[in-house]
Amino acid sequence: MTWSEMQPLLSDACSQTFTMVLWSTVIAVVAGLPLGILLVLTDRGGLLQNVLANKVIGQIVNVGRSMPFIILMVALMTFTRWVTGTTIGTTAAIVPLAIGGIPFFARLVETAVREVDQGLVEAVQSMGGNTWTIVRKVLVPEALPSLIASTTTTIIALIGYSAMAGTVGGGGLGDLAVRYGYQRFETELMWITVAILAVVISLIQFAGDFAARSLHRRGARSGPAPKLRLLKAGEPAAAEISKVA
């Protein structure tokens, strides 16, 4: 197969993989972020402590993470057909990719949020800050570098999942590698596909690491400034508390 014949195939496959990974990542982040934060808030000693709810949510996340993606795709075929009207193609593949990515990202978010300094949380609580204020002003901003790294890890995992989705009709680079590289013995095309995936993953990892390090260094340079801003923002509440006392 000549390069002129491979080029349109590779272009279409890259476009399909990009579409699958983009939309599944957006859904996984939008749904996984609050789920991961909720796992922290409802845990023992959390701001919304609820052991039963925490165990239920944790078990659901564990089941979602433990299920191999290829089995998850088969198990969700009925749901995928109900949502998209089909079980084949790029649009259909987004459904299991997103559902598989949600628990994966949620656990990474939980780990990142648990690393936040509890002293900041207690300071905002002492000044009358509610749970939403603590999540918005402390937990998410302080965990942002780790959340960026978690998003990077999730994107790379979803790229791998999308390759598996291609083997069962999902399209993308995985489908191209199997149909042409394996079934038609176009070894050169298969290795080009592998090279493209390797380059894309490396670039995504580099960009994610760079963004996380930049945010971390910016936070380190600012020193106690974020804490001081939180304290200043809470001064009226602190004043009211002192008056009552």
Side-chain angles (χ1 to χ4, degrees):
M1 182 179 288
T2 64
W3 174 249
S4 60
E5 293 173 325
M6 289 189 288
Q7 189 174 8
L9 295 173
L10 289 169
S11 178
D12 290 341
C14 288
S15 176
Q16 291 167 356
T17 297
F18 175 78
T19 301
M20 284 189 288
V21 173
L22 173 64
W23 287 109
S24 58
T25 299
V26 170
I27 296 170
V29 170
V30 169
L33 179 62
L35 191 62
I37 293 174
L38 196 60
L39 282 168
V40 177
L41 296 180
T42 58
D43 200 4
R44 294 183 186 276
L47 298 175
L48 301 175
Q49 179 175 318
N50 188 320
V51 178
L52 179 60
N54 184 266
K55 287 184 176 180
V56 171
I57 297 171
Q59 192 59 39
I60 293 172
V61 170
N62 289 338
V63 170
R65 287 187 63 201
S66 64
M67 190 174 297
F69 180 71
I70 195 72
I71 296 176
L72 181 65
M73 285 191 66
V74 175
L76 290 173
M77 277 187 173
T78 302
F79 179 71
T80 300
R81 184 180 290 109
W82 177 72
V83 173
T84 65
T86 182
T87 58
I88 298 175
T90 301
T91 303
I94 292 173
V95 176
L97 281 171
I99 293 177
I102 289 171
F104 183 86
F105 185 68
R107 280 301 183 192
L108 294 177
V109 170
E110 180 189 11
T111 302
V113 172
R114 287 190 188 281
E115 294 175 355
V116 174
D117 183 4
Q118 290 301 305
L120 280 174
V121 175
E122 293 170 2
V124 177
Q125 276 185 301
S126 67
M127 288 180 264
N130 57 25
T131 302
W132 170 243
T133 300
I134 292 172
V135 170
R136 188 167 58 92
K137 296 288 188 180
V138 179
L139 296 183
V140 173
E142 291 295 317
L144 193 55
S146 296
L147 292 176
I148 294 295
S150 300
T151 303
T152 303
T153 303
T154 302
I155 293 172
I156 292 173
L158 289 173
I159 291 175
Y161 290 167
S162 71
M164 284 188 280
T167 63
V168 290
L173 291 169
D175 174 58
L176 183 65
V178 170
R179 282 194 298 117
Y180 287 87
Y182 177 72
Q183 296 176 350
R184 302 187 186 184
F185 303 101
E186 295 287 349
T187 307
E188 184 180 356
L189 180 59
M190 182 178 68
W191 283 112
I192 291 174
T193 302
V194 172
I196 291 173
L197 287 171
V199 170
V200 168
I201 288 173
S202 298
L203 290 174
I204 291 172
Q205 187 68 62
F206 173 80
D209 290 345
F210 178 79
R213 284 196 300 266
S214 298
L215 288 171
H216 184 73
R217 285 197 298 266
R218 185 179 302 173
R221 285 197 302 267
S222 63
K227 299 180 183 181
L228 292 176
R229 285 197 295 270
L230 288 169
L231 291 172
K232 288 177 180 178
E235 280 176 359
E240 292 297 326
I241 293 173
S242 61
K243 287 179 181 178
V244 173

